[in-house]
């Protein structure tokens, strides 16, 4: 980590300038195409229950989404795509995954201390691996679209504050289509995931860390701790567990992501990411 300076130096994160009138159609088509690709990726990734199939299909879908993003960046936007640098990729992915698992474990652990989460037995290693494959594709596709496309384009036109807020709101709202979704659940996702993952992207200038955090959280919550993620269909997991207590504490049928505990844990991470971003001179207040 470099030392902070009084005057912020130019950001190393490439910002996309506001499109001119002639490029609006291309931009709209790109956004629409990547949105459709994200939805298709998530739908396909959720289909296989066999762990071997899931572990094969998930990474393939993730790689295809990254390739599509890089292709559209180069061919449609005519820019150098810097969101997936080869250097630090493995380190950021592993670090992000570890942080995601840690935050999920902290949230579930606090729920257990309150008597709201109880492990009832062992589940299925195969089910856990199937979840890993599914969450790999989902984490990549959603980060590519919401941070790589939505956040980046908004930041290039209206600055970081608008980009962080609007992308987080959209990320929360899209989860309203999930089973047992609610406005509270969407708000919780907006705060604990939308802002946190945008801040993770700001802190590094690449999508690898945000993808790792997203994957680690989803995998641990569903695959390790046997809880529901964002109200989605229950999956086999490493352990079986039950939650009990008021919805504001447990998240109810939406899962721990609707819990006030998860909001607090992830908000702490958001603040830390934003502090790191400022210290690394990513110019949080700069407009393109």
């Amino acid at each position: 980590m470099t030392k902070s300076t009084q005057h912020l130096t130019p950001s190393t994160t490439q910002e996309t300038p506001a499109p001119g009138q002639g490029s609006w159609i291309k931009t709209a088509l790109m956004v629409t195409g990547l949105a459709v690709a994200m939805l298709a990726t998530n739908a396909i990734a959720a289909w296989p229950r066999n762990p071997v199939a899931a572990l094969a299909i998930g990474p393939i879908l993730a790689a295809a989404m990254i390739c599509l993003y890089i292709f559209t960046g180069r061919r449609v936007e005519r820019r150098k795509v810097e969101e997936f640098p080869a250097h630090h990729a493995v380190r950021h992915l592993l670090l992000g995954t570890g942080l995601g698992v840690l935050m999920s474990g902290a949230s579930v652990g606090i729920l257990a201390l309150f008597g709201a989460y109880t492990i009832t037995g062992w589940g299925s290693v195969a089910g856990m691996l199937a979840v890993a494959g599914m969450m790999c594709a989902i984490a990549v596709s959603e980060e590519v679209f919401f941070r790589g496309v939505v956040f980046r384009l908004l930041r290039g036109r209206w600055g970081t504050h608008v980009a962080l807020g609007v992308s987080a709101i959209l990320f929360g709202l899209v989860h309203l289509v999930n089973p047992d979704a609610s406005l509270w659940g969407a708000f919780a996702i907006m705060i604990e995931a939308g802002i946190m993952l945008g801040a993770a992207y700001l802190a590094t200038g690449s999508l690898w860390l945000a993808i790792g955090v997203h994957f680690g959280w989803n995998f641990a919550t569903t695959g390790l701790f046997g809880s529901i993620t964002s109200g989605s269909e229950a999956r086999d997991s490493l352990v079986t567990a039950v939650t009990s207590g008021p919805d504001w504490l447990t998240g109810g049928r939406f899962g721990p992501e609707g819990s006030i505990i998860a909001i607090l844990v992830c908000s702490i991470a958001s603040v830390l990411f934003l502090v790191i971003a400022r210290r690394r001179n990513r110019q949080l207040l700069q407009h393109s």
Side-chain angles (χ1 to χ4, degrees):
M1 183 183 300
T2 58
K3 294 182 180 180
S4 59
T5 57
Q6 183 175 1
H7 298 287
L8 295 177
T9 56
S11 171
T12 58
T13 303
Q14 179 180 3
E15 296 196 21
T16 304
Q21 185 175 1
S23 63
W24 274 110
I25 294 178
K26 286 185 177 181
T27 301
L29 289 175
M30 179 194 71
V31 173
T32 302
L34 286 169
V36 171
M38 176 194 67
L39 295 173
T41 295
N42 288 5
I44 296 172
W47 174 66
R49 297 286 180 153
N50 181 282
V52 175
L55 285 173
I57 292 174
I60 290 174
L61 290 172
M65 191 72 185
I66 292 174
C67 290
L68 178 61
Y69 177 76
I70 293 174
F71 176 82
T72 57
R74 292 174 177 173
R75 297 293 183 177
V76 178
E77 295 182 277
R78 302 292 183 182
R79 67 183 181 88
K80 182 180 179 181
V81 179
E82 298 181 338
E83 293 80 69
F84 286 104
H87 62 286
H88 303 317
V90 174
R91 183 165 66 90
H92 283 170
L93 278 174
L94 292 177
L95 176 61
T97 299
L99 289 173
V101 171
L102 180 63
M103 287 187 288
S104 176
S107 300
V108 171
I110 294 172
L111 289 176
L113 289 176
F114 280 100
Y117 172 88
T118 304
I119 294 176
T120 57
W122 287 106
S124 165
V125 173
M128 177 191 69
L129 295 177
V131 169
M134 176 183 69
M135 293 306 179
C136 174
I138 291 175
V140 169
S141 67
E142 292 186 355
E143 290 313 300
V144 162
F145 182 73
F146 284 101
R147 258 57 66 179
V149 177
V150 176
F151 180 92
R152 179 178 55 81
L153 291 179
L154 288 172
R155 188 186 184 201
R157 185 168 183 83
W158 288 294
T160 300
H161 289 160
V162 172
L164 194 60
V166 174
S167 64
I169 291 172
L170 292 176
F171 191 63
L173 290 177
V174 77
H175 285 79
L176 284 173
V177 302
N178 290 8
D180 296 317
S182 65
L183 288 176
W184 168 254
F187 173 78
I189 292 292
M190 177 187 74
I191 298 298
E192 69 197 20
I195 292 179
M196 178 185 66
L197 294 170
Y201 172 50
L202 279 173
T204 59
S206 80
L207 292 172
W208 293 122
L209 181 65
I211 287 172
V213 172
H214 195 152
F215 168 77
W217 173 276
N218 283 2
F219 168 68
T221 302
T222 301
L224 294 182
F225 302 126
S227 297
I228 297 172
T229 303
S230 305
S232 58
E233 181 183 358
R235 293 267 174 165
D236 291 336
S237 56
L238 184 63
V239 300
T240 58
V242 295
T243 57
S244 59
D247 287 354
W248 64 266
L249 177 63
T250 65
R253 291 187 296 178
F254 194 72
E257 288 179 336
S259 167
I260 190 65
I261 302 300
I263 292 177
L264 293 175
V265 168
C266 293
S267 293
I268 293 173
S270 297
V271 171
L272 293 177
F273 284 140
L274 290 173
V275 169
I276 292 172
R278 179 172 288 280
R279 289 183 176 179
R280 289 185 173 180
N281 300 328
R282 301 246 172 235
Q283 289 190 304
L284 298 185
L285 301 179
Q286 176 184 342
H287 291 255
S288 63

